[in-house]
Amino acid sequence: MKIGRRSFLSFVIGGAAGTAITPLPWKLMDDSSIWSQNWPWTPVPPDGEYSQSNSVCTLCPGGCGITVRKVDDRVVKIEGMKGHPVNDGGLCLMGLSGLQLLYGPTRVKTPLKRVGKRGEGKWEKISWDEAISEVAKKLADIRSNGGSHTVGSIVDSENGTVPNLFKRFLTTYGSPNFMTMPSIQDSYAMTLQVMQGVSAQVGFDAENADFILSFGSGIIDGWGSPVRMFKANSAWKANGKKVVQIEPRLSNTAAKSDKWIPINPGTEAALALGLANVIITNSLDSKKISQSSGFDSFKKLVQNEYGTEKVSKITGINSATIVSLAKNFARASKPLAICGKGQGSIPGSLNEFMAVHALNALVGNINKEGGVWAVTDTKYINWPKPEMDSIAENGIQKERIDGAGSEYPHTKSLLNRLAEVINSGDGSLEALFVSGANPLYSMPDSKAIKNAFDNIPFIVSFSSYMDETASNADLILPNHVYLERYEDVPTPAGLSKPIVGLTRPVVKPQFNTKHVGDVVMLIAKALGGGIADAFPWESYEACLKETLGVKWDILVEKGFEFNGDKCILEGDFNFYPDAMKSLSDFSSVSIEGSAISYPLILIPYDTIRLANGYIGDPPFAIKAVEDTVLKGKNSCVEINPKTGKELGLTEGRYASLLTPRGKAKVRVHLYEGIMPGIVALPRGLGHTAYDKYLAGKGCNFNELIGSTEDPVSGLDEAWGIRARLTKV
Amino acid sequence: MKEEGKHKKAKKYGMVINLDECTGCGACMVACMAENNVPFKEDESNKLDSIAWMRVYKLTNGKPYPEAEICYLPRPCMHCEGEHGHAPCVSVCPATATDYNHETGIVSQIYTRCFGCRYCMVACPYHARYFNWWDPVWPEESTKYLSPNVSPRMRGVVEKCSFCFHRYQLAMDKAYLEGRTVLEEDEYQTSCAQACPAGAITFGDLNNPEHKVHQLAKPDNKHGGRPGNPNVFRLLERLGTNPKVYYMSSREWVRQAGDNYINNEDLAKNYRH
Amino acid sequence: MDSALIPEGVKRCSFGKFAIGIILVGGVLLWGVYAMLLIWLKGLNQTNMNDFYGFAIWIWADLGVIALGGGAFFTGFLRYVIGKDELKNIINCAVLIGFICYSSALLILAIDVGQPLRSWFIFWHANVHSMLTEVAFCLSCYFAVLIIEYIPLILENRQINKVPFLHNLAHNMHEVMVIFAATGAFLSFFHQGSLGGTPAVLYGRPFSFREGVFIWPWTFFLFTWSAAAYGPCFTLFVTRLIEKITKKKLVKQNVIDLLAKISGWTMGTYVIAKIIDTWYWATVTAPARGFNLIDFYSNNPFYGIWILIVEIVVCGIVPALILLTPKGRNNSTLLFTAVSLACIGVLLNRWVMVLQVMAIPVMTFETWVMYIPSWQEVATTVLPVAYGIILVMISFRYLPIFPQERELNP
Ligand SMILES: Nc1nc2c(c(=O)[nH]1)N[C@H]1C(S)=C(S)[C@@H](COP(=O)(O)OP(=O)(O)OC[C@H]3O[C@@H](n4cnc5c(=O)[nH]c(N)nc54)[C@H](O)[C@@H]3O)O[C@H]1N2
Ligand SMILES: Nc1nc2c(c(=O)[nH]1)N[C@H]1C(S)=C(S)[C@@H](COP(=O)(O)OP(=O)(O)OC[C@H]3O[C@@H](n4cnc5c(=O)[nH]c(N)nc54)[C@H](O)[C@@H]3O)O[C@H]1N2
Ligand code: SF4
Ligand code: SF4
Ligand code: SF4
Ligand code: SF4
Ligand code: SF4
Ligand SMILES: [Mo]
């Protein structure tokens, strides 16, 4: 066969054309692209009918209003509620990630009973009936053996219907041991008690202040009602109001302030009194307030003991700065001093709170526009006093296990003392309920807490999530999450105008969970007698409706309601309560550990991107954490480059962080925004429970620090601990 | 129709981010992830492969303690216009999988057309583009919150901030049903702007003098959209990318950090136009 | 054993030795194939690329082999279009290398993209503004040309050539080869240029951005010119390597000398152009965007100014000077040094234009990003090398690659 040029070209072109006109290659190409666009493992979210509903976020005490967007019966987005008095449309990253908690892998989906060893993670699914009768039987046994006072509960706060149901349950059962998670609210309440003689919560009219002097409060790091503080901060900026931040580390709050003044940790009270001295000495104080009782003693105290030079030496802040700061503060028309460090989850030193409160009083801003208010939740919970049987009467007379109300007469709850009391054998608990709290993670000195819990034979968790405490419980009776339930939301932390909000189900419960309020009532009913009679409601929802009365309809309609005007408590201001006598000779807040073996001071820091309470960071939030905070499996510590140089530590290096209480492997982040000699560690990492998106990341600050009792209140005042950082 | 087209001025959606107000809280990042079905994986601490359409950078002034200052800078896609819509990323895409919409000024990304060559990522100086190195995997329960308005992406394609374009479409659909062709300022807002607790993000039509973004940035369209407000700047202005995201700061070092300057340049001259 | 397949009148090593060689290199090839499959199945997470390093080592290899394969088009151009007839004695080798380089380049691209099954979108939804579109079109057309240029070589195998149809086919293909060579040269000019344009149009990346004329940045011409200059060096390098390994002279010195001399001139002019380009870029283009030259070479553990000096002086001026002097060309060691340096130089240039581009921070608050390829990337990058060696081994053994071999080794 011979081919000519012609036939050759025909062959080539014909061959190519022939292949091309068969549908095969085209079809295959098309199919391949369609297939690669519709991989069966890539989800296709179904469409449907769109709707919206309003509710309240309860992931922190912020109380933000939310609007959820739904497609059929799925919630697809949480947004801030426009016009809500707390947040007006804005939302924090936790609130925005809420759906990952509702639909997340970390939920406890049905009642669980432990089958393996504690904390081993072996569970048996049980029915609600079984679960409730098991608890009731146990409690009946304890009660009949005369141990009713050895049953305790830990809840997130003392406000609202759910904590009050727990309290009522314990009361009628016969136990005084109703405990709450600590926070700066405790210290503030205590301060108002000793200096004004009122039993109230603190409120700040932050929006109207024009000079904000913050003693380490994380105004934009999650302090108070976080979104509300963000909004206030922006308003200050827009209106040229001044913010001065005092703390050893350039936190986000310090960075946003007009002036950052680093201070030696633990000496804030001295600064506040030193400022008071300058103000009084220069007659810049409010004339009216200086008529108050104790003023002369206070004046004597600050003039004798807190002269500028001395305070400068104590705090490490130069005298001129102290003097000018005092003057500018006093001369501002609406100055406001605030304290309670970071996000406010460690109560802190009462001296500091009193000193700062005195400073506010000096410039006459107590219960004034732009000032500090003593507010009361106009009580909406008015349940009839329960009938008590003799066991109950007897039981509640017993001393509380944590010594609150007896050893420390003004304090209501001292969870920080629980571990030591149990571990030293000074007291014991036979059963413990934990609801809306995760003490095994969020209380300082995790090891001691763990030991104490090991000594409690029966622990019941009501958690919606497999958190650290739930994983170490004997029984988990999972609550609905906030998007599945009704619940009152009492006044958010630090708000000057009390409001009550209502969180309500925007979807039906996704799993076999029950409202904790219903469960408490079911247990009470199972116990019978006076305990059962104390809970006449047919369900939690009925209880809530009845409790809120006329407010119910408004709340359902609007989501929130102001609590009326009669919320400010005046009281008589006392500048020099007994508690302040200890300040006649200043000593800084005690920091555990010897300076020789532990040359550095470890302080925690809070960031809005890390939750450190009961709720763990959901995947979106942890994704937003910077790589200078968390790298792979390790937390990063911040140290000044000078400190780094002394220790031979460079950026990103692994190091071992040692304190008298614990040890952690960390990575180093050199940061010019921190005082030399200080190591700062983020809080909110180092979870061992929840899901794979959170567990095993970084280290928990609480494993490295112990609790130090404030001599007056018994509350935990430790904000730091001595530490050593070495190369590994 | 023709008449109308003549009169209708092209919109130029953009943002002004007030860095004095931005607190670095990260809500914008999460608002974006939640709105746009952004996937997540077990370890997201390596920021070189962590998809975040909005990323908040932490800037420092480079001074030692205690003069150190920091500033947060949220970075969505800048929706660069370049010259006549030739955004750095758009002109390089060989498959026209990313496009400049002249009606809105929004740079789109067509996931199902992108074949993953990543040329656009190399072209973008803002690192605003992210590649799906992994198959996106949601925990079983979590697929329930996925929004039907934004399709989840598949492995092997690039994604980026869309200025929440689906929200524009939904708003336009609604307006159209009501017989309108023009949107009010608040009818189309991005998820990040809406969520920002500090109110630091302003979003709107830069071409519309009624809109706040226009008033804040005072863009000079004759000179590639250069800001007329002396406190306002754009990232890498000098590259000619003509971004539609403007930043505002009262601090000089922050404004300077927005661009590169060689050591003998008169800096003052550069950001005072 | 396979003697019937070996071209007449030439000596080849024993089949056993050959087979061992193939198996050894084949092992490496299989390693590469394994990595390739991993990447296709599990995705590009098998690499160490990331959102900052969108292109990685194999894209460098891709641009590198295309530059080195430039010997094919340039030699073809010289032989068929200019009429340098002596080059027919080395053109087969050039075509073989070109074929290997371009098929490798296409394979790499198929591994590189995130959605290989959609690669054809580049044709279907072509964006005329994109340099990559131009590259894709020219590259695939030129590869078709290379196939057409390579097929007649295969057909010349002793056994295949016995089939009359195939014999005639080969003959006819040779006759029309001028057309293909010219087309190939034309296509090559463009896609080498487009590859040069690829980094240079990135106006968001001041390190690679270059001004130019009309739609073509300067590197468009520089890449084409450098491929023309350095490609033949690689042809000479491979030829010399085969000669060394087989311990035979395969191409006459006058042929080598001619190609080396042309290469020297192209290289010399290229280096001058490159210096002018660098100068303009360093003093005008980059400063206008706020960058000093040294910014591109400091504050990082690897990319120092040395890289620029090595590329331009050590691997540019030096080999050009050697190739331009008759003494240099005639001294076997000097010549080999020159072509080796030249190959390193062009690879370095492509490295810089692909990888350093991405390492350099553009926003002031970002830092340099270093990248170390994963083993999968290394394996897939080595894969084409192994494949090339095997193809050279087989082609050399069974095809008359070097027409002068018989004459030189009687
Ligand atoms: N007339 C008058 N004078 C006063 C006062 C007053 O109330 N009225 N107050 C006095 C007092 S108390 C003070 S503290 C001083 C304040 O004095 P300065 O500290 O000098 O305050 P400004 O000049 O307002 O702003 C400080 C700097 O912070 C920058 N800045 C803006 N936003 C931010 C941010 O988010 N973070 C950071 N880190 N910096 C930002 C601004 O650009 C500015 O350069 O003024 C004193 N002088
Ligand atoms: N350049 C510069 N500007 C600044 C600041 C800065 O650090 N640098 N800081 C800013 C800040 S934070 C502030 S608060 C303001 C402060 O601004 P000003 O209030 O103006 O403070 P100073 O100028 O520091 O000090 C005020 C005066 O008080 C005097 N003084 C000191 N002790 C006493 C005393 O016991 N009695 C009386 N009667 N006078 C006394 C000092 O000598 C000084 O003259 O400045 C702001 N502006
Ligand atoms: S601040 Fe608290 S209440 Fe408000 S959205 Fe965030 S978590 Fe929810
Ligand atoms: S949400 Fe607002 S304040 Fe928070 S980081 Fe983003 S822009 Fe800044
Ligand atoms: S920021 Fe990057 S991705 Fe966005 S338009 Fe500009 S170049 Fe494109
Ligand atoms: S990765 Fe996708 S969008 Fe980007 S250039 Fe390639 S095809 Fe276009
Ligand atoms: S505009 Fe929309 S897509 Fe872009 S960063 Fe904001 S929320 Fe994300
Ligand atoms: Mo100040």
Side-chain angles (χ1 to χ4, degrees), chain C residues 10-280:
Chain C
V10 300
K11 279 200 201 71
R12 292 289 179 263
C13 66
S14 74
F15 183 75
K17 214 168 157 188
F18 173 73
I20 288 169
I22 293 277
I23 288 167
L24 284 178
V25 188
V28 178
L29 181 93
L30 285 179
W31 181 53
V33 170
Y34 172 63
M36 177 178 83
L37 292 177
L38 269 184
I39 288 164
W40 272 337
L41 289 172
K42 295 192 172 181
L44 290 167
N45 51 55
Q46 299 292 302
T47 72
N48 273 351
M49 282 192 275
N50 55 51
D51 293 329
F52 282 39
Y53 259 101
F55 289 165
I57 184 171
W58 62 44
I59 292 292
W60 158 71
D62 201 85
L63 264 73
V65 296
I66 288 176
L68 296 174
F73 91 86
F74 195 58
T75 318
F77 172 77
L78 291 173
R79 191 205 151 181
Y80 293 105
V81 182
I82 306 286
K84 296 280 176 195
D85 214 38
E86 301 96 305
L87 295 181
K88 68 170 188 277
N89 294 315
I90 201 165
I91 188 89
N92 289 350
C93 181
V95 164
L96 171 62
I97 293 167
F99 178 83
I100 291 169
C101 289
Y102 278 77
S103 51
S104 301
L106 287 173
L107 176 70
I108 290 173
L109 289 179
I111 304 171
D112 173 71
V113 296
Q115 290 277 352
L117 294 176
R118 293 185 205 165
S119 303
W120 53 278
F121 284 12
I122 207 169
F123 302 108
W124 196 251
H125 302 287
N127 171 15
V128 293
H129 298 289
S130 173
M131 283 289 165
L132 265 197
T133 305
E134 207 174 319
V135 170
F137 271 88
C138 292
L139 209 67
S140 20
C141 290
Y142 183 54
F143 182 59
V145 168
L146 276 171
I147 294 177
I148 293 170
E149 289 188 310
Y150 184 51
I151 286 174
L153 249 169
I154 301 174
L155 299 183
E156 277 178 27
N157 171 277
R158 213 162 91 195
Q159 298 304 324
I160 297 175
N161 212 254
K162 282 183 184 157
V163 183
F165 170 81
L166 296 176
H167 173 84
N168 291 325
L169 184 64
H171 176 73
N172 278 292
M173 287 182 82
H174 275 302
E175 297 232 317
V176 293
M177 207 43 74
V178 181
I179 305 169
F180 287 111
T183 316
F186 174 80
L187 287 170
S188 267
F189 272 113
F190 274 92
H191 78 246
Q192 295 281 1
S194 309
L195 282 172
T198 305
V201 295
L202 303 175
Y203 67 94
R205 298 276 188 177
F207 178 72
S208 62
F209 175 69
R210 291 295 188 282
E211 281 126 323
V213 283
F214 192 41
I215 60 164
W216 297 292
W218 298 127
T219 46
F220 185 95
F221 308 104
L222 287 176
F223 265 50
T224 306
W225 205 231
S226 60
Y230 294 89
C233 286
F234 187 61
T235 310
L236 291 175
F237 175 82
V238 172
T239 308
R240 175 51 58 95
L241 213 59
I242 301 174
E243 286 186 341
K244 284 225 157 125
I245 290 165
T246 58
K247 300 192 184 78
K248 277 184 211 170
K249 186 95 184 113
L250 296 169
V251 183
K252 287 189 183 159
Q253 187 55 29
N254 70 320
V255 179
I256 305 258
D257 189 75
L258 176 65
L259 197 57
K261 191 163 128 190
I262 295 173
S263 195
W265 278 109
T266 355
M267 200 180 297
T269 45
Y270 165 76
V271 170
I272 291 167
K274 169 79 190 169
I275 290 170
I276 296 170
D277 167 73
T278 306
W279 191 265
Y280 187 80

Side-chain angles (χ1 to χ4, degrees), chain B residues 57 86 92 96 118-119 257, chain C residues 112 125 130 198 203 205 364 366:
Chain B
Y57 282 88
H86 288 292
V92 300
T96 330
R118 305 179 304 286
Y119 191 15
Chain C
D112 173 71
H125 302 287
S130 173
T198 305
Y203 67 94
R205 298 276 188 177
T364 59
E366 285 186 326

Side-chain angles (χ1 to χ4, degrees), chain A residues 77 90-97 227 230 608-609 624, chain B residues 23-34 54 56 191-198 201:
Chain A
K77 178 86 188 291
L91 217 56
C92 87
L93 85 174
M94 287 294 295
L96 287 157
S97 328
V227 175
F230 280 102
I608 188 82
R609 301 192 201 176
Chain B
T23 62
C25 73
C28 48
M29 299 169 77
V30 171
C32 179
M33 295 174 200
M54 172 68 102
V56 179
S191 178
C192 51
Q194 183 190 42
C196 174
I201 307 177

Side-chain angles (χ1 to χ4, degrees), chain A residues 259 282 323-324 327-328:
Chain A
K259 174 117 182 145
N282 289 286
V323 170
S324 57
K327 289 179 177 173
N328 285 305

Side-chain angles (χ1 to χ4, degrees), chain B residues 15 28 31-32 35-36 53-54 76-77 161-164 190-193:
Chain B
M15 264 176 199
C28 48
C32 179
E35 177 77 19
N36 292 298
W53 294 8
M54 172 68 102
C77 165
C161 153
S162 65
F163 268 178
C164 295
T190 64
S191 178
C192 51

